[in-house]
């Protein structure tokens, strides 16, 4: 692996550009480099691993049992990535991606304070997942953060929330973070479980696939560890409340007909992860609403290729399947890309893919059960209280959205014009799904019918100073200088 | 607020948060260093002046925008801490008029 720190070190063109150095991106790089492709990996973080293996190359956490065996599994993937022939640019941001006719793609890259456009014949966008929005009253207060954020602080920085911690929501990560924070000595006052009891019945048909996957043993081990915390189940409403200083002081939760308030210093929210679709959406990939995962998912084929030829999305960015499946998906995407570039015959591709695909499918089969079991309740996806903030950036509330929908606004893009909802710096990442589901609910139509924001490049902010660093030819200069 | 696990290496990088001296670990993000230094609120919003703090720590929420060495709207969770950084919580919208003029990198 060759590390790049500056745009001048970038080649003008690569066979394959990979965006994201999580399990999918790293394994794609290894497979593609082995097949003889010139590979560039761009990643926002300073070290490989993505979010799931965040900090794995330099975590200050010394006691390995705190993070658990599943985390350390990433060491092997990172080691393989470090040995491979790919170029790797950490602290790099890809902010535009445009199909360049039949020849490939032009990618806008920001690195070391300057930007360049590079060309790639194939692109693998391994942009992963982020946490599903959790719009409850008070979720913007300082002191409230996502459970994933607390996990990143622990993995990458050996930081543990001080004082009284309340964890709320549902999903496998909730149990994992609880177990890890307990092992790290956090004072977890309560875990407020929002999963609906009826989920078991809906999950049952998916049980056979789950039993074949390795999730069962993992899940049981995790449950045993996490259950040492004070679990409060069947929570149907949550509210974060501020103290005199305007920061989090209490969290109120409803169970049955009783509301209880707990004093706390940190509230960690989590209700599952969803594909980070901003890049795919901005480039124009076809996407579908997945009712099991309650999110939009880019449409991908057996080789993780999207509706745009040459652009593949393996890993959680193409549908949540977890870290191990992501690594296998990255391999499949790279084999597909290598074959399209003529570096592998179809037979070679299929032969190498067969065992990978078998394992990929075994892992993927376990997912539907988890999706059903930890399906986040509607009350926490579609805020009922008018004052609850939906768009954190522009401070747009659920009530305002319902009001303009009642006035005839039909979709998320029109909503932007009326309320600036989704137009702040996060570019809809924190409100997109809530807006879709809220509008669907208000209009009595499906989420698919409402659709999502239409996003545009730059899909990550880039400064004018960076843009000014783009090399310009004579024609470009003459176009603006007189 | 966060505390460091006792087993983690000593924080050796010196920086300032709102004029107050603090130390952070080499390799950590500005946001992590701020959390470890006891920062609860890192900015107020341009719209309603609401207090906000780092929320996702992975670059997607843009809640951790702060002013670093005079430049506003920096994503604290993605920027590595360096020796001598002057980090300030951001009050409302970025004030570009007060920012130092920088030459674009080559």
């Amino acid at each position: 692996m060759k590390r790049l720190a500056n745009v001048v070190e970038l080649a003008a063109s690569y066979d394959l550009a990979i965006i994201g150095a999580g399990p999918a991106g790293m394994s794609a790089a290894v497979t593609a480099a082995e097949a003889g492709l010139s590979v560039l990996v761009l990643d926002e973080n300073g070290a490989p691993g993505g979010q799931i293996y965040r900090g794995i190359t330099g975590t200050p956490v010394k006691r390995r049992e705190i993070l658990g065996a599943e985390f350390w599994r990433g060491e092997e993937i990172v080691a393989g990535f470090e040995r491979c022939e790919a170029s790797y640019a950490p602290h790099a941001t890809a902010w535009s991606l445009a199909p360049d006719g039949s020849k490939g793609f032009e990618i806008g890259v920001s690195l070391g304070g300057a930007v360049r456009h590079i060309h790639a014949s194939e692109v693998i966008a391994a942009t992963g997942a982020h946490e599903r929005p959790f719009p409850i009253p008070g979720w913007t207060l300082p002191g409230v953060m996502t459970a994933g954020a607390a996990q990143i602080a622990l993995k990458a920085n050996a930081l543990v929330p001080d004082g009284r911690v309340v964890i709320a929501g549902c999903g496998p990560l909730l149990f994992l973070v609880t177990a890890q924070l307990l092992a790290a000595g956090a004072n977890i006052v309560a875990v407020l479980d929002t999963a609906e009891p009826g989920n078991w019945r809906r999950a049952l048909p998916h049980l056979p696939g789950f039993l074949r996957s390795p999730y069962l043993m993992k899940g049981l081990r995790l449950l045993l560890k996490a259950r040492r915390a004070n679990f409060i189940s069947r929570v149907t409403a949550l509210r974060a409340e501020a103290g005199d200083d305007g920061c989090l002081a209490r969290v109120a939760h409803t169970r049955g007909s009783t509301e209880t308030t707990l004093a706390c210093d940190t509230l960690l929210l989590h209700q599952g992860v969803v594909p980070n679709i901003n890049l795919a959406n901005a480039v124009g990939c076809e996407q579908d609403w997945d009712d099991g995962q309650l999110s939009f998912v880019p449409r991908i084929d057996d080789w993780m290729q999207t509706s745009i030829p040459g652009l593949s999305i393996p890993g959680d960015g193409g549908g949540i399947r977890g870290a191990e499946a992501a690594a296998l998906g990255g391999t499949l995407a790279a084999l597909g890309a290598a074959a399209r570039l003529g570096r592998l015959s179809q037979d070679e591709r299929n032969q190498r893919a067969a065992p990978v695909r078998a394992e990929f499918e075994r892992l993927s089969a376990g997912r539907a059960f988890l999706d059903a079991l930890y399906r986040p309740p509607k009350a926490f996806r579609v805020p009922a209280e008018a004052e609850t903030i939906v768009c954190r950036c522009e401070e747009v509330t659920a009530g305002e959205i319902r009001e303009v929908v009642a006035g005839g606004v039909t979709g998320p893009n029109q909503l932007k014009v009326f309320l600036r909802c989704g137009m702040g710096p996060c570019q809809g990442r924190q409100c997109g799904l809530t807006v879709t589901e809220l509008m669907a609910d208000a209009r009595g139509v499906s989420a698919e019918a409402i659709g999502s924001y239409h996003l545009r490049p730059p899909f990550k902010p880039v400064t004018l100073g960076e843009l000014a660093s783009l090399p310009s030819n004579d024609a470009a200069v003459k176009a603006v200088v007189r | 607020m966060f505390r460091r696990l006792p087993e983690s290496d000593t924080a050796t990088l010196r920086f300032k948060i709102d004029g107050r001296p603090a130390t952070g670990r080499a390799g950590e993000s500005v946001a992590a260093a701020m959390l470890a230094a006891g920062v609860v609120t890192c900015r107020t919003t341009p719209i309603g002046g609401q207090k906000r703090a780092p929320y996702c720590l992975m670059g997607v929420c843009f809640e951790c925008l702060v002013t670093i060495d005079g430049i506003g709207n920096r994503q604290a969770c993605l920027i590595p801490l360096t020796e001598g950084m002057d980090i300030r919580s951001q009050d409302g919208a970025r004030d570009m008029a007060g920012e130092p003029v920088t030459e674009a990198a080559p």
Side-chain angles (χ1 to χ4, degrees), chain A residues 23-213:
Chain A
M26 288 190 290
S27 66
V30 170
T31 303
E34 268 172 20
L37 275 64
S38 61
V39 179
L40 170 67
V41 180
L42 301 163
D43 192 55
E44 266 186 340
N45 281 318
Q51 303 307 333
I52 191 85
Y53 303 129
R54 180 84 179 259
I56 194 156
T57 55
T59 178
V61 178
K62 300 282 191 300
R63 283 174 290 155
R64 290 172 74 92
E65 67 274 17
I66 290 180
L67 299 177
E70 286 306 310
F71 175 76
W72 296 107
R73 187 191 277 272
E75 279 183 323
E76 194 186 327
I77 303 178
V78 173
F81 178 56
E82 284 176 339
R83 280 195 305 269
C84 85
E85 296 289 318
S87 293
Y88 161 63
H91 294 303
T93 301
W95 45 268
S96 76
L97 175 66
D100 186 6
S102 58
K103 300 185 294 287
F105 299 86
E106 185 190 67
I107 307 170
V109 179
S110 172
L111 173 63
V115 300
R116 281 293 183 278
H117 280 119
I118 57 153
H119 174 271
S121 305
E122 287 270 336
V123 172
I124 290 179
T127 46
H130 58 75
E131 286 171 279
R132 178 189 301 282
F134 205 138
I136 57 164
W139 71 309
T140 56
L141 293 173
V144 182
M145 56 172 30
T146 69
Q151 197 197 30
I152 286 167
L154 176 64
K155 290 193 287 198
N157 310 108
L159 292 177
V160 186
D162 215 0
R164 299 153 299 180
V165 181
V166 171
I167 303 178
C170 60
L173 187 74
L174 196 83
F175 295 102
L176 178 58
V177 172
T178 301
Q180 290 173 327
L181 289 180
L182 280 175
N187 173 19
I188 300 175
V189 178
V191 179
L192 306 174
D193 185 355
T194 60
E196 289 169 313
N199 284 356
W200 269 103
R201 198 166 26 83
R202 286 186 286 271
L204 223 48
H206 305 292
L207 189 61
F210 180 71
L211 295 178
R212 280 201 309 276
S213 78

Side-chain angles (χ1 to χ4, degrees), chain A residues 170-172 175 193 195 199 203 223 271-272 369-377:
Chain A
C170 60
F175 295 102
D193 185 355
N199 284 356
L223 280 177
Q271 52 177 351
F369 179 80
L370 292 174
D371 288 341
L373 190 60
Y374 297 117
R375 185 180 178 88

Side-chain angles (χ1 to χ4, degrees), chain A residues 283-301:
Chain A
V283 180
C285 295
E286 298 286 341
Q287 57 181 22
D288 300 299
W289 176 259
D290 183 327
D291 202 50
Q293 303 204 335
L294 292 165
S295 63
F296 287 101
V297 178
R299 200 176 296 162
I300 52 174
D301 69 11

Side-chain angles (χ1 to χ4, degrees), chain A residues 7 44 51 54 58 60-63 66 91 113-114 116 129-130 139-140 142 144-146 149 152-154 157-162 184-186 245 247 269 276 389 392-395 425-426 429-430 460-461 465 469, chain B residues 1-9 25 27-29 31-33 35-36 40-43 45-63 65 75 77-80 94 96 104-106:
Chain A
V7 286
E44 266 186 340
Q51 303 307 333
R54 180 84 179 259
V61 178
K62 300 282 191 300
R63 283 174 290 155
I66 290 180
H91 294 303
R116 281 293 183 278
H130 58 75
W139 71 309
T140 56
V144 182
M145 56 172 30
T146 69
I152 286 167
L154 176 64
N157 310 108
L159 292 177
V160 186
D162 215 0
D245 60 355
C247 300
L269 296 175
N276 183 351
I389 284 183
R392 298 173 62 105
C393 298
E394 297 292 331
E395 294 168 46
C426 96
R429 288 171 175 86
Q430 292 295 311
K460 282 278 169 134
S469 74
Chain B
M1 264 179 295
F2 282 70
R3 60 182 166 81
R4 292 181 191 281
L5 281 181
E7 68 203 60
S8 65
D9 328 325
R25 270 187 58 255
E28 73 187 0
S29 68
L35 291 172
V40 179
T41 300
C42 72
R43 69 178 184 116
T45 59
I47 314 282
Q50 294 184 358
K51 288 182 175 181
R52 295 287 172 89
Y55 181 70
C56 79
L57 288 186
M58 56 175 279
V60 296
C61 79
F62 292 76
E63 292 289 9
L65 299 178
Q75 262 182 293
C77 73
L78 291 181
I79 294 170
R94 175 184 182 185
M96 287 184 71

